[in-house]
Amino acid sequence: MQKFRLYETRSKFYMIGRDKNRTFWRVLKIDRLEPSELNIFEDSTLYSDIECCDLLRRIHEGNKSTGGLKFVTTCYGIIGFIKFLEPYYMLLITKRRKIGTICGHTIYAITKSEMVPIPHAIERSKMAYSKDENRYKKLLCSVDLTKDFFFSYSYNVMLSLQRNLSDHNTTGQSLYETLFVWNEFLTRGIRNNLQNTSWTVALVYGFFKQVKLSISDNEFNLTIIARRSRHYAGTRYLKRGVNEKGRVANDVETEQIVFTDARGGRPMQISSVVQIRGSIPLFWSQEASRLNIKPDIILSRKDSNFEATRLHFENLVKRYGNPIIILNLIKTREKKPRETILRAEFANAVRSLNKNLKGENRLRFLHWDLHRHSRCKATNVLGQLGKVAAYALKLTGIFYCPVTSNVRLDGFSHYSYTENNNVTDHCITEQASINKDNVDKETEIINCYCSSDENKDYSVKPQMLQSGVLRTNCIDCLDRTNVAQYAYGLAALGCQLQALGFVETPYIDLDNPLAKELMEIYESMGDTLAFQYGGSAAHNKIFSERRGQWKAAAQSQEFIRTLQRYYNNTYLDGDKQKAINLLLGHFQPQQGNPALWELDSDQHYTVKKHGLYVADDSVRSTIKRSLSDGNILSESDTTIRNLNVTNDQNSSEKPDKRFLSGSTPDIYTCGSDICHCRARQNQVSDSNCTPSTQL
């Protein structure tokens, strides 16, 4: 159902819902006589338009003595229900706007929402009007649902395209339990009560942008979707690193979808590629300070065996398959060790985990100090990152399929797709040397693209299913990370256009108009994600230089954004974090317990289902300021000049790639002196490429 009308009597709310084609109407009843309980009943009858009008007339007649039936509002779905100290409130979408379509399925953003108290005014006690109750309401309303939240009635926008077309087990209620649905807690009560999701919509938080572009007179639709995880969600200095369950802060999945409309008897063609960002998966933190714009990094040693780090990467394998490629962009040299502390510990963690992993299950770990290279005029940062991206894409592949013309709009279960076996892959030229004298002790990737005078002709079967993923991080996973993600998106766009048959080679020059348009979208995405987590737009120095922006103007803009981020992190993020905790159900108010605003920083508490508990002092004592003297830099780490890419057979124990949305590279092995990198390019047999699967 897509449109609803809410009515009220003194004793009940009546919500009337209908489907898009006006073929049936249903009725939901919500009791208003209980001041602090939520009682919802769904009428199992399917009504016609006339029958529904007659039902409403009879309800009005039966309640005339208490005021009759009154119209409240038109709405487009229930966001959920929430209770603070006494009454329940219902959150509704009252206005929406279309922001795009995917295979004929409309994607919407929220234009307006309302919070409606459930109990009738006569039934509410003084607690419902108390100062604390109103403060909780105000705190929740500070989460702007009209900004960066989106949903769809018929497309599972919380899942990647590959999972939508391949995974039929994640449906109904299980969709709400995925990590990208932000109103899972708010809808839990009604979903469990009714055992369906007909009345609610699943909200995804992040970024959505769709544009129509063309190349060589061929039009195509480009969609960029960023999905922010609800696990360990929050603000910059209050959510850092990893938690005990392996969830990291600022965990965002970015999907790039390219598709063409069906024309002239040709099927629709569609392709997608997924990459992710996330905080360094160690126990570390920073405390916002009014006196220090760059607070010290506090590294905890409580997880000496890197169990939380292991859980994090195991979760990534479940989500995307192997291999996991880690692109670490933090600094390699500092006068006062800050980032370098985490750099060395991250390398230790990966080295430790790789001891128990074999073959393509090993983590591939790439260091590249983006800050240092961006200050060197001789370094083409985007060009170098493009080579990293091409290397990763060679390992992971992209998702591609032509969709048959018998498309139906009632869900992806009626889509079918076939795989194209005639795409030539020109993405990577193999290089085979390791420079043992690399003083910077970081990964260097060169000569990844095929040049026009190459003698080798790489013509291999394309990977139509992405397996594995590129995971990029810096310290905040905002500014530097976004530059790297743009470089990956540009390299991926070339491969996607090649798969669609629009170009012969996947290489797109940085001066190409397509590269400039894609940069604008990724810059917009970076600003949006930076506002959500960091409190200001992203620092876009490299993008500004690429556009030829006046240097003084760019520096002034960067300075203003630095101040804006500092102010928000220092003075506003505490309340913002509290609002997020309310929305996600991490804190649930209870009469007699301390109020949310009476508690200390979010860093020092562990939230439980029925309250909030102070973390054990023994845990706090393990969080100590690191006073490293810099000798940490001398530790041996990944040292690679060129990456070897060799073809090998698929592992028989490899997970089913249909259910994955990422890539499949091997893990970089960190040795004692230098790091040797091995990569196996997965081959897709003809038997796996040809079937036309009815979904």
Side-chain angles (χ1 to χ4, degrees):
M1 294 183 289
Q2 297 192 14
K3 192 170 183 179
F4 309 85
R5 289 173 67 86
L6 183 67
Y7 298 87
E8 67 172 348
T9 65
R10 180 174 170 178
S11 60
K12 286 185 177 63
F13 277 117
Y14 293 89
M15 181 169 284
I16 312 298
R18 65 164 174 81
D19 66 326
K20 184 178 181 181
N21 298 322
R22 297 174 178 265
T23 56
F24 67 85
W25 279 255
R26 301 198 67 171
V27 179
L28 187 72
K29 305 172 186 177
I30 305 170
D31 181 58
R32 304 188 68 196
L33 298 179
E34 284 289 342
S36 59
E37 298 295 329
L38 182 63
N39 296 315
I40 305 175
F41 311 94
E42 184 181 39
D43 190 336
S44 60
T45 305
L46 294 181
Y47 295 92
S48 67
D49 189 9
I50 296 175
E51 291 170 337
C52 190
C53 290
D54 183 61
L55 175 66
L56 293 175
R57 181 185 56 78
R58 287 186 281 114
I59 293 173
H60 177 67
E61 292 293 329
N63 288 272
K64 271 190 174 181
S65 61
T66 55
L69 183 70
K70 299 176 182 178
F71 172 74
V72 179
T73 185
T74 298
C75 59
Y76 298 93
I78 297 175
I79 297 171
F81 296 84
I82 192 168
K83 174 184 177 181
F84 303 122
L85 296 176
E86 186 184 85
Y88 270 92
Y89 301 87
M90 177 166 54
L91 282 73
L92 302 173
I93 299 171
T94 52
K95 288 185 180 179
R96 65 184 183 184
R97 62 184 175 89
K98 178 180 176 180
I99 56 175
T101 59
I102 299 176
C103 293
H105 298 262
T106 304
I107 313 298
Y108 295 98
I110 300 173
T111 305
K112 186 179 179 182
S113 65
E114 290 186 18
M115 185 163 66
V116 181
I118 297 298
H120 192 276
I122 297 177
E123 306 297 333
R124 299 176 215 162
S125 71
K126 292 182 179 180
M127 180 61 71
Y129 303 97
S130 67
K131 182 179 178 181
D132 284 355
E133 182 77 10
N134 288 328
R135 188 167 177 179
Y136 278 121
K137 288 166 60 178
K138 184 178 180 181
L139 194 59
L140 182 66
C141 290
S142 68
V143 179
D144 190 352
L145 296 175
T146 67
K147 202 171 185 179
D148 308 328
F149 285 90
F150 49 93
F151 66 96
S152 176
Y153 298 105
S154 55
Y155 179 78
N156 300 325
V157 73
M158 74 293 292
L159 304 180
S160 69
L161 177 70
Q162 181 167 314
R163 284 198 65 184
N164 266 297
L165 284 171
S166 306
D167 183 1
H168 309 309
N169 296 320
T170 308
T171 58
Q173 295 232 42
S174 59
L175 289 171
Y176 283 76
E177 295 164 3
T178 57
L179 72 164
F180 299 122
V181 177
W182 274 58
N183 59 333
E184 184 278 331
F185 167 72
L186 297 179
T187 59
R188 194 182 299 166
I190 183 174
R191 288 185 290 110
N192 291 341
N193 187 312
L194 304 181
Q195 289 299 304
N196 67 55
T197 58
S198 300
W199 302 88
T200 58
V201 295
L203 296 184
V204 178
Y205 184 44
F207 176 84
F208 186 98
K209 180 74 173 180
Q210 187 170 84
V211 295
K212 187 176 287 291
L213 302 173
S214 65
I215 184 171
S216 303
D217 297 326
N218 293 302
E219 287 191 344
F220 63 92
N221 297 283
L222 173 69
T223 306
I224 304 295
I225 306 173
R227 306 175 179 96
R228 181 175 293 282
S229 171
R230 63 181 167 87
H231 297 300
Y232 205 47
T235 57
R236 186 184 180 205
Y237 287 143
L238 296 178
K239 294 295 179 182
R240 288 297 215 193
V242 70
N243 67 10
E244 288 78 4
K245 295 182 179 180
R247 306 293 190 179
V248 295
N250 202 16
D251 183 356
V252 181
E253 174 185 278
T254 299
E255 182 177 22
Q256 181 171 293
I257 301 174
V258 175
F259 67 92
T260 61
D261 298 324
R263 291 180 180 176
R266 294 189 305 172
M268 172 191 293
Q269 295 186 89
I270 192 162
S271 171
S272 80
V273 65
V274 170
Q275 59 178 317
I276 61 172
R277 68 176 75 189
S279 190
I280 295 173
L282 302 170
F283 287 100
W284 64 281
S285 62
Q286 286 179 285
E287 295 181 3
S289 170
R290 298 181 182 182
L291 303 177
N292 187 359
I293 202 166
K294 283 190 174 183
D296 291 340
I297 288 175
I298 306 169
L299 177 63
S300 169
R301 305 289 182 179
K302 70 176 182 179
D303 189 17
S304 58
N305 295 323
F306 304 110
E307 284 300 308
T309 310
R310 178 184 60 80
L311 288 174
H312 172 67
F313 285 113
E314 286 179 353
N315 178 261
L316 292 188
V317 172
K318 289 179 182 179
R319 284 159 57 181
Y320 305 105
N322 276 314
I324 305 300
I325 307 172
I326 306 163
L327 178 56
N328 184 29
L329 301 173
I330 62 179
K331 296 176 183 178
T332 56
R333 296 175 180 176
E334 293 174 300
K335 291 182 179 179
K336 178 182 178 182
R338 292 177 67 257
E339 296 188 14
T340 49
I341 297 169
L342 292 179
R343 180 184 184 276
E345 189 72 358
F346 196 8
N348 289 339
V350 173
R351 186 180 296 115
S352 175
L353 296 178
N354 273 345
K355 290 179 181 178
N356 299 315
L357 298 173
K358 295 181 180 180
E360 70 172 16
N361 295 329
R362 294 173 64 83
L363 298 168
R364 298 172 184 266
F365 196 30
L366 306 177
H367 285 301
W368 202 71
D369 185 345
L370 190 148
H371 181 266
R372 184 172 68 85
H373 285 287
S374 65
R375 300 179 69 177
C376 178
K377 293 183 179 180
T379 304
N380 181 346
V381 172
L382 290 175
Q384 290 292 310
L385 289 172
K387 294 169 185 177
V388 177
Y391 171 78
L393 286 164
K394 180 71 174 181
L395 298 174
T396 67
I398 63 173
F399 176 71
Y400 163 82
C401 70
V403 182
T404 57
S405 58
N406 59 336
V407 172
R408 293 170 58 178
L409 296 179
D410 52 350
F412 259 92
S413 59
H414 299 283
Y415 276 66
S416 64
Y417 70 91
T418 57
E419 296 184 354
N420 182 357
N421 300 322
N422 301 314
V423 179
T424 304
D425 187 350
H426 297 288
C427 284
I428 307 287
T429 298
E430 299 177 12
Q431 298 293 322
S433 67
I434 298 180
N435 185 347
K436 298 182 180 181
D437 300 320
N438 183 358
V439 297
D440 295 325
K441 295 186 180 294
E442 64 177 290
T443 304
E444 291 285 354
I445 304 178
I446 61 174
N447 299 324
C448 285
Y449 286 114
C450 291
S451 59
S452 58
D453 59 350
E454 285 287 343
N455 294 322
K456 293 184 179 181
D457 181 19
Y458 290 89
S459 180
V460 297
K461 301 287 184 183
Q463 293 195 30
M464 296 294 101
L465 296 171
Q466 184 181 348
S467 178
V469 75
L470 174 65
R471 182 198 192 276
T472 305
N473 72 266
C474 49
I475 289 295
D476 296 321
C477 301
L478 297 177
D479 312 317
R480 288 170 285 183
T481 294
N482 204 59
V483 173
Q485 289 208 326
Y486 161 66
Y488 182 84
L490 183 62
L493 180 61
C495 293
Q496 291 174 295
L497 294 177
Q498 185 190 38
L500 268 59
F502 288 176
V503 295
E504 294 183 0
T505 173
Y507 178 73
I508 299 177
D509 190 86
L510 287 169
D511 292 323
N512 189 302
L514 278 182
K516 295 179 180 179
E517 296 205 52
L518 187 69
M519 186 177 75
E520 290 180 4
I521 299 174
Y522 271 85
E523 187 173 2
S524 177
M525 179 187 76
D527 287 342
T528 299
L529 297 179
F531 267 115
Q532 293 168 5
Y533 181 66
S536 78
H539 292 287
N540 294 317
K541 177 184 175 183
I542 293 175
F543 291 152
S544 299
E545 290 177 352
R546 188 71 206 167
R547 285 195 304 270
Q549 186 176 348
W550 186 35
K551 188 175 181 180
Q555 289 176 339
S556 176
Q557 176 180 277
E558 296 299 295
F559 178 70
I560 292 171
R561 290 180 178 181
T562 297
L563 291 180
Q564 184 181 12
R565 190 173 293 184
Y566 161 76
Y567 178 81
N568 282 300
N569 296 162
T570 305
Y571 299 100
L572 303 181
D573 277 0
D575 283 343
K576 185 176 178 180
Q577 183 67 58
K578 291 177 175 64
I580 291 172
N581 289 343
L582 273 182
L583 177 73
L584 298 177
H586 296 330
F587 177 86
Q588 298 174 41
Q590 287 185 340
Q591 294 186 39
N593 285 350
L596 183 55
W597 44 87
E598 294 173 352
L599 301 171
D600 202 351
S601 168
D602 186 75
Q603 288 275 1
H604 304 298
Y605 291 86
T606 303
V607 180
K608 300 296 183 182
K609 183 176 180 181
H610 297 295
L612 194 141
Y613 299 82
V614 181
D616 191 276
D617 286 338
S618 63
V619 175
R620 278 196 207 175
S621 65
T622 63
I623 303 177
K624 299 178 180 178
R625 295 189 180 278
S626 177
L627 300 176
S628 171
D629 58 3
N631 58 4
I632 202 167
L633 293 175
S634 65
E635 182 168 321
S636 178
D637 212 334
T638 309
T639 308
I640 310 168
R641 271 292 173 191
N642 300 287
L643 298 175
N644 294 331
V645 182
T646 58
N647 293 328
D648 203 350
Q649 296 295 324
N650 278 337
S651 169
S652 60
E653 298 180 356
K654 194 168 173 184
D656 189 342
K657 289 164 65 176
R658 292 174 302 163
F659 298 92
L660 309 172
S661 57
S663 28
T664 330
D666 265 342
I667 295 164
Y668 292 98
T669 317
C670 295
S672 58
D673 296 319
I674 59 172
C675 182
H676 178 68
C677 298
R678 296 178 298 169
R680 297 179 182 178
Q681 173 63 34
N682 295 318
Q683 298 295 316
V684 181
S685 65
D686 290 344
S687 61
N688 291 333
C689 288
T690 53
S692 175
T693 308
Q694 183 67 39
L695 301 178

